[in-house]
């Protein structure tokens, strides 16, 4: 009995800690275009797009923030969510799935996202009901909403979403604006796939497109192009050193590889410079 009480006490403490973590988080809404908005709080950036009585929501952050997010959405539109799109499976983008799913809402994601969430033991109302393998166009009254899968980038289930008439794209974690990205190698991500994914987006949009990144501030075509140049530069630098026989330890410790971008604050986010050099090395070598 004492052991059982101890378990309940520990669970209560952990739950309280999780609530405290989000207690002071504020959800901020930014108008991106006439019918699209970006919501920021804790976790991945959310997009809300309105087309007459249909509403598309992209990603939903952490479950404890759902009520705050719902309040923010009510300030934008009175209509229920028609489609909730998950850009990938990570919890800071899918944590609120169960809270936002309803009879009016269909969760949409790449098939690998569905499989990973099922493997994690998520409840039925958490799981995507509509999936794509390569591309999908959602049926909206006036807007063209394209979902395009990019392979082995941040994960193996990444999708970017392009609203053609609004000229707004949500890239999920295929883009960390002005920061080193988290590339989840254990979930099928890779540096080559990450670069290819960003190049795919760049070739899909135009210079006037507004970009909602998975993390970071609203971005532009030029921001994305500069990010690609950063990724290619660091990857090529590390690949060259590998070819010359430089050890993993020495490459990871070599601050000159990322110095130019460290000076611009790229390493001040979730992924620091050392961790990013490690990720790129391990992605190239598989070691």
């Amino acid at each position: 009995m004492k052991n059982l009480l101890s378990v309940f006490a520990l669970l209560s403490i952990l739950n309280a800690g999780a609530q405290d973590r989000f207690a002071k988080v504020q959800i901020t809404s930014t108008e991106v275009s006439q019918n699209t908005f970006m919501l920021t709080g804790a976790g991945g950036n959310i997009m809300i797009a309105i087309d007459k009585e249909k509403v598309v929501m992209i990603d939903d952050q952490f479950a404890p923030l759902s009520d705050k997010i719902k309040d923010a959405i009510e300030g934008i539109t009175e209509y229920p969510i028609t489609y909730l799109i998950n850009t990938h499976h990570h919890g800071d983008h899918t944590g609120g799935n169960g809270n936002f799913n309803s009879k009016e809402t269909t969760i949409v994601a790449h098939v690998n996202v569905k499989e990973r969430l099922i493997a994690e033991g998520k409840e039925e109302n958490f799981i995507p009901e509509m999936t794509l393998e390569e591309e999908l166009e959602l049926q909206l009254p006036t807007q063209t909403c394209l979902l395009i899968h990019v392979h082995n980038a941040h994960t193996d289930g990444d999708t970017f979403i392009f609203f053609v008439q609004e000229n707004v794209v949500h890239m999920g974690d295929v883009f960390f604006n002005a920061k080193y990205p988290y590339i989840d190698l254990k979930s099928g991500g890779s540096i080559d796939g990450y670069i290819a994914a960003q190049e795919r987006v760049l070739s899909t949009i135009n210079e006037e497109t507004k970009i909602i990144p998975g993390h970071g501030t609203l971005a532009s075509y030029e921001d994305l192009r500069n990010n690609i140049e950063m990724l290619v530069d660091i990857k090529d630098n590390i690949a060259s050193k590998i070819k010359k026989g430089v050890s993993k330890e020495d490459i990871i410790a070599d601050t000159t590889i990322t110095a130019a971008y460290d000076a611009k604050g790229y390493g001040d986010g979730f992924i620091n410079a050392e961790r990013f050099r490690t990720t790129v090395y391990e992605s190239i070598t598989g070691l």
Side-chain angles (χ1 to χ4, degrees):
M1 178 62 71
K2 289 183 178 179
N3 289 338
L4 185 59
L5 291 174
S6 297
V7 170
F8 283 137
L10 178 59
L11 290 174
S12 297
I13 292 170
L14 292 174
N15 184 59
Q19 295 299 326
D20 289 344
R21 175 187 173 191
F22 299 109
K24 295 183 179 180
V25 173
Q26 294 184 340
I27 306 300
T28 302
S29 174
T30 301
E31 184 175 326
V32 179
S33 68
Q34 184 176 0
N35 298 300
T36 62
F37 302 81
M38 180 174 77
L39 304 184
T40 57
N45 293 330
I46 294 170
M47 178 177 177
I48 300 294
I50 305 164
D51 189 3
K52 294 188 175 180
E53 296 183 3
K54 290 197 173 184
V55 179
V56 179
M57 179 179 184
I58 302 175
D59 288 342
D60 50 45
Q61 298 191 1
F62 298 99
L65 293 173
S66 294
D67 287 342
K68 292 183 178 182
I69 295 168
K70 288 178 181 179
D71 288 342
I73 295 173
E74 287 177 2
I76 297 171
T77 179
E78 62 182 355
Y79 297 112
I81 306 299
T82 309
Y83 295 107
L84 170 56
I85 304 171
N86 295 153
T87 58
H88 62 290
H89 73 282
H90 287 152
D92 62 321
H93 296 256
T94 64
N97 274 16
N99 295 332
F100 283 94
N101 201 358
S102 69
K103 63 180 181 180
E104 297 96 354
T105 305
T106 299
I107 302 180
V108 188
H110 187 264
V111 64
N112 289 346
V113 173
K114 179 177 182 177
E115 291 176 358
R116 288 189 178 278
L117 293 177
I118 291 173
E120 290 175 5
K122 300 298 185 184
E123 296 179 358
E124 185 177 355
N125 69 340
F126 203 101
I127 305 300
E129 299 130 321
M130 180 186 297
T131 60
L132 69 145
E133 292 190 1
E134 294 300 331
E135 297 185 14
L136 175 68
E137 180 177 343
L138 293 184
Q139 298 302 309
L140 298 176
T142 66
Q143 296 187 36
T144 302
C145 176
L146 299 177
L147 285 66
I148 301 175
H149 171 55
V150 284
H151 295 256
N152 301 104
H154 172 62
T155 66
D156 60 5
D158 300 301
T159 298
F160 73 88
I161 301 92
F162 184 36
F163 288 83
V164 177
Q165 285 79 12
E166 296 295 318
N167 204 12
V168 177
V169 64
H170 191 307
M171 290 183 60
D173 282 3
V174 170
F175 187 26
F176 285 59
N177 188 19
K179 303 297 178 186
Y180 295 131
Y182 169 45
I183 300 176
D184 188 351
L185 302 181
K186 293 182 179 179
S187 295
S190 69
I191 183 62
D192 285 337
Y194 204 93
I195 293 169
Q198 292 198 351
E199 291 174 338
R200 174 73 186 277
V201 176
L202 200 70
S203 68
T204 302
I205 64 176
N206 59 58
E207 293 185 1
E208 303 304 318
T209 304
K210 293 181 179 179
I211 302 172
I212 297 177
H215 297 269
T217 58
L218 191 66
S220 66
Y221 182 96
E222 184 177 359
D223 291 330
L224 179 58
R225 182 172 59 191
N226 291 340
N227 199 267
I228 293 171
E229 292 177 357
M230 177 272 294
L231 293 171
V232 171
D233 183 28
I234 292 175
K235 180 220 164 185
D236 287 351
N237 198 339
I238 290 177
S240 175
K241 292 181 181 296
I242 292 171
K243 190 174 182 179
K244 292 177 181 177
V246 180
S247 70
K248 177 179 181 179
E249 292 73 19
D250 286 344
I251 288 174
I252 291 172
D254 188 352
T255 59
T256 65
I257 294 172
T258 54
Y261 307 101
D262 296 343
K264 297 178 181 179
Y266 276 79
D268 297 339
F270 177 59
I271 302 298
N272 62 29
E274 180 177 327
R275 187 175 178 187
F276 187 59
R277 293 192 298 271
T278 303
T279 297
V280 174
Y281 178 93
E282 291 178 349
S283 182
I284 292 172
T285 64
L287 302 174

